[in-house]
Amino acid sequence: MKKTIFTAVLMCLILTGVNAQDQESNPSDDFNRWQVRLRGLAIVPNESATIQTIGGDVEISNAFIPELDFTYFFTKNLAAELILGTAKHDVKAISTAAGDIELGSIWLLPPTLTLQYHFDGKTVHPYIGAGVNYTLFYNEDAGPTADSVSYDNSLGFDFQLGFDIDINDQWFINLDAKYLLLNTDVTVNATSALGATVGADVDINPFIAGIGIGRRF
């Protein structure tokens, strides 16, 4: 997992270096290399789970958060985006042999690196992308039933579609949608209530819709 992330970062550094050399040899290139955007995101999990022993499924709440992202353009059309944001979700095991079980809440920190292709346009600039995501789970709250709940950090993938709509040469409105393939292994220590520790394979797979404002540099 660490090798995969290291490889992705290394590839970006290599591409940046190659592009810098190209820029020196092609001083006529005229485009902004950097974009910074501030967005509001709606995160809607498409959740499902395989729960050991007691069966059932999982229910994960939606979240609404601010998010900051940075985009670097290797060429006028090829870019890489890094997003920074964190979200809190409430979690419940449903339709189990023990009924519905409140499992408290969990915070997710999902830095995501996406390679993008930006299409040319006069005012509206569409783009598509795909990349890697590494989600860190922290500040678990086990809720009223379980003694503790633990989540494994997870490597996933993302797919993206978006539009930048010019206000002027520097400022623009952004509309963005992502779908993350995100899975984690969860361990619920319910010894006090159920006399057992229960494991679950949980797919979160959130759809993420965002709107915001950006600036080119």
Side-chain angles (χ1 to χ4, degrees):
M1 188 176 295
K2 292 181 179 179
K3 290 182 178 179
T4 303
I5 297 172
F6 175 78
T7 301
V9 173
L10 182 61
M11 287 177 63
C12 286
L13 292 174
I14 292 172
L15 287 171
T16 303
V18 170
N19 193 68
Q21 293 179 356
D22 289 343
Q23 186 180 12
E24 291 178 1
S25 61
N26 295 282
S28 61
D29 288 346
D30 183 21
F31 60 93
N32 297 105
R33 297 270 170 187
W34 289 96
Q35 289 184 358
V36 177
R37 291 177 291 204
L38 179 64
R39 295 188 281 216
L41 301 185
I43 304 173
V44 182
N46 181 26
E47 70 271 41
S48 64
T50 301
I51 303 175
Q52 299 172 3
T53 310
I54 61 174
D57 207 340
V58 68
E59 185 177 278
I60 302 173
S61 68
N62 300 338
F64 301 91
I65 66 166
E67 174 256 21
L68 183 67
D69 66 82
F70 303 89
T71 303
Y72 178 81
F73 282 77
F74 305 110
T75 70
K76 289 183 69 173
N77 302 105
L78 187 64
E81 177 196 80
L82 178 65
I83 69 169
L84 302 172
T86 187
K88 180 183 179 182
H89 296 271
D90 296 324
V91 184
K92 179 191 295 185
I94 60 174
S95 303
T96 76
D100 294 349
I101 304 172
E102 297 284 350
L103 294 176
S105 61
I106 182 66
W107 283 85
L108 279 68
L109 177 64
T112 303
L113 181 64
T114 305
L115 186 65
Q116 302 172 326
Y117 186 84
H118 291 250
F119 297 91
D120 295 327
K122 290 185 179 181
T123 302
V124 180
H125 310 277
Y127 59 87
I128 57 175
V132 293
N133 160 272
Y134 188 73
T135 298
L136 304 169
F137 296 85
Y138 68 100
N139 279 4
E140 301 93 340
D141 176 2
T145 303
D147 299 313
S148 64
V149 182
S150 65
Y151 299 77
D152 288 348
N153 296 337
S154 178
L155 178 68
F157 301 94
D158 79 288
F159 303 93
Q160 181 184 42
L161 171 66
F163 300 88
D164 292 327
I165 304 170
D166 291 343
I167 299 173
N168 54 40
D169 288 343
Q170 290 184 316
W171 293 92
F172 58 93
I173 300 295
N174 175 254
L175 302 174
D176 187 89
K178 288 186 178 72
Y179 190 76
L180 269 60
L181 299 178
L182 178 58
N183 171 274
T184 183
D185 290 326
V186 181
T187 303
V188 180
N189 180 356
T191 304
S192 298
L194 304 177
T197 296
V198 178
D201 179 16
V202 180
D203 291 323
I204 301 174
N205 296 343
F207 171 74
I208 303 173
I211 183 171
I213 189 166
R215 189 178 190 278
R216 301 183 180 97
F217 296 90

